[in-house]
Amino acid sequence: MSFGSDNQSGASPAVLDALMREFSQKGASYGTDEATKQAEDKLREVFDRDLAAYFVTSGTAANCLALSALGDPWGAILCHHQAHVLRDESTAPEFLTGGMRLMPVAPYATRLDANAVAAHIRAMPDDKPHNIRPQILSIAQSSENGQVYTPAEVQALCGVAHDAGLRVHMDGARFANAVAHLGCHPADISARAGVDVLCLGATKNGAVAAEAVVFFDKTLARGFPERMKRSGHLLSKGRFLGAQFSAWLHDDHWLDLARHANARAQVLAMTLASIKGARIAMTPQANEVFAVLPREVCAQLAAAGIGFAEWYADAILPDKIDLNHEALVRFVTSFASSESEIAGLAKAGGDTGQFS
């Protein structure tokens, strides 16, 4: 009964079958193979436009290499104060960009707001070459707090960024869950809204280890294979990533997997809401559920074998939580989450006497 992360789930049988078929074949190396070309063509179909795509094995590699292609070492990256690139990727962004500075925007807000970003940019000093200036806006979709930006919100953020001369990077580790929640065309919250580069994650949603860096403006991809090679992320057997993406995208399989995860999150939220003294911190929109639980309940659930994560308390306003007696926790569902797992959570809570 693990809800610690969607990274903890396995892989979709359809993706595994495609990978096994590729294992039994020979193919060209370093991304020049047919499987990789087919995956890139699939992405063109999905986003209904020409693009350039490159495949890597981790979200950190995808994000940081993408950021390195968008700015200079002396520039800054604006992001949410809880952005994965800021809090959970060590110093990889600084390392792979040659020293760009990550600058958080809008503490305690659950998502980036176009007006707040614009105000932040206006307030930054501009005495070149002495002052650092922003060159990139990084958006996570879905957000760090499980919230989903609408097409209008993404378009507004991109508009502010582009008006100020910034490029827009989207961390799409859970992009599929956002598309499934909105029921929109994938391009509506990416290319059509003004996103320059999308890091499209498949690992959390049914793949083994497969991420795509998708350049909607192909001119920005100049030198990207060299960046991959220089950083050790150009795989000789890259076809194993291409094969996964082709199967993952085929016939909307990626969205079916995300819809399942999202639906399970709604059920999980209702289960957690029934705990005495508990409250849902943010209405779940994708596959992450954030709740405030009494600390004794956290201990009891952990003792019962329920996996979850205590989260950064500054995700919500200080007056919304009593840190001495409560904890902000995150539960994550996946394509593999089952009704029986959630029932097990309810049973464990019932055994502790904490459920209404």
Side-chain angles (χ1 to χ4, degrees):
M1 292 178 287
S2 180
F3 301 99
S5 173
D6 35 10
N7 279 329
Q8 297 172 350
S9 59
S12 152
V15 171
L16 279 180
D17 286 347
L19 190 54
M20 291 303 296
R21 286 194 300 272
E22 196 62 37
F23 279 151
S24 66
Q25 304 176 44
K26 293 183 179 180
S29 54
Y30 298 109
T32 61
D33 58 277
E34 287 303 313
T36 298
K37 292 175 184 176
Q38 289 173 10
E40 193 169 9
D41 286 341
K42 284 279 187 183
L43 287 167
R44 293 188 180 99
E45 291 177 16
V46 165
F47 290 99
D48 192 27
R49 62 179 293 135
D50 193 19
L51 50 79
Y54 301 89
F55 302 93
V56 294
T57 58
S58 76
T60 296
N63 283 329
C64 298
L65 286 170
L67 292 170
S68 76
L70 298 183
D72 300 310
W74 51 86
I77 303 161
L78 301 185
C79 60
H80 188 267
H81 73 101
Q82 287 198 318
H84 199 272
V85 293
L86 176 67
R87 291 203 171 185
D88 295 299
E89 294 184 357
S90 185
T91 56
E94 292 87 344
F95 177 65
L96 288 174
T97 62
M100 293 192 81
R101 182 172 298 171
L102 289 154
M103 303 187 75
V105 177
Y108 298 115
T110 57
R111 68 180 80 194
L112 290 171
D113 173 77
N115 291 330
V117 172
H120 189 99
I121 295 172
R122 287 195 301 271
M124 293 181 70
D126 189 12
D127 182 14
K128 296 177 182 179
H130 307 289
N131 300 135
I132 187 169
R133 293 296 298 170
Q135 294 184 345
I136 305 170
L137 174 64
S138 179
I139 308 169
Q141 178 75 302
S142 57
S143 81
E144 294 77 6
N145 297 318
Q147 305 298 290
V148 173
Y149 293 96
T150 65
E153 288 172 323
V154 178
Q155 187 172 7
L157 286 165
C158 291
V160 166
H162 290 156
D163 286 347
L166 279 63
R167 297 291 188 181
V168 179
H169 157 263
M170 178 169 280
D171 177 352
R174 297 186 175 94
F175 183 83
N177 302 94
V179 176
H181 170 75
L182 293 168
C184 67
H185 192 286
D188 290 342
I189 52 171
S190 56
R192 294 174 189 165
V195 172
D196 294 299
V197 178
L198 167 68
C199 294
L200 177 60
T203 306
K204 295 179 186 294
N205 188 41
V208 176
E211 312 284 314
V213 182
V214 183
F215 289 88
F216 298 118
D217 179 352
K218 294 174 69 172
T219 65
L220 297 175
R222 186 178 64 84
F224 199 77
E226 287 78 11
R227 292 179 188 274
M228 293 172 65
K229 181 67 174 181
R230 184 170 183 260
S231 61
H233 289 288
L234 183 63
L235 298 185
S236 62
K237 295 184 179 180
R239 67 185 188 277
F240 295 147
L241 304 184
Q244 289 185 70
F245 257 92
S246 289
W248 188 65
L249 294 169
H250 179 68
D251 201 21
D252 282 348
H253 182 54
W254 65 304
L255 296 179
D256 289 338
L257 297 173
R259 291 184 190 106
H260 176 96
N262 289 4
R264 290 290 180 265
Q266 295 298 319
V267 177
L268 179 60
M270 289 188 289
T271 301
L272 291 172
S274 67
I275 299 177
K276 293 178 182 177
R279 57 193 181 278
I280 301 302
M282 290 158 274
T283 302
Q285 295 182 330
N287 65 319
E288 296 175 280
V289 181
F290 291 84
V292 177
L293 299 182
R295 289 194 176 273
E296 63 270 20
V297 173
C298 293
Q300 290 165 347
L301 291 178
I306 308 296
F308 58 93
E310 183 168 345
W311 206 244
Y312 305 109
D314 64 353
I316 56 177
L317 290 167
D319 61 0
K320 300 295 183 182
I321 185 170
D322 177 3
L323 290 175
N324 292 320
H325 303 98
E326 298 177 318
L328 177 65
V329 296
R330 185 191 76 166
F331 290 73
V332 188
T333 54
S334 77
F335 77 94
S337 295
S338 65
E339 292 182 5
S340 62
E341 283 184 291
I342 298 175
L345 168 62
K347 183 178 185 300
D351 289 343
T352 63
Q354 294 296 331
F355 280 72
S356 303

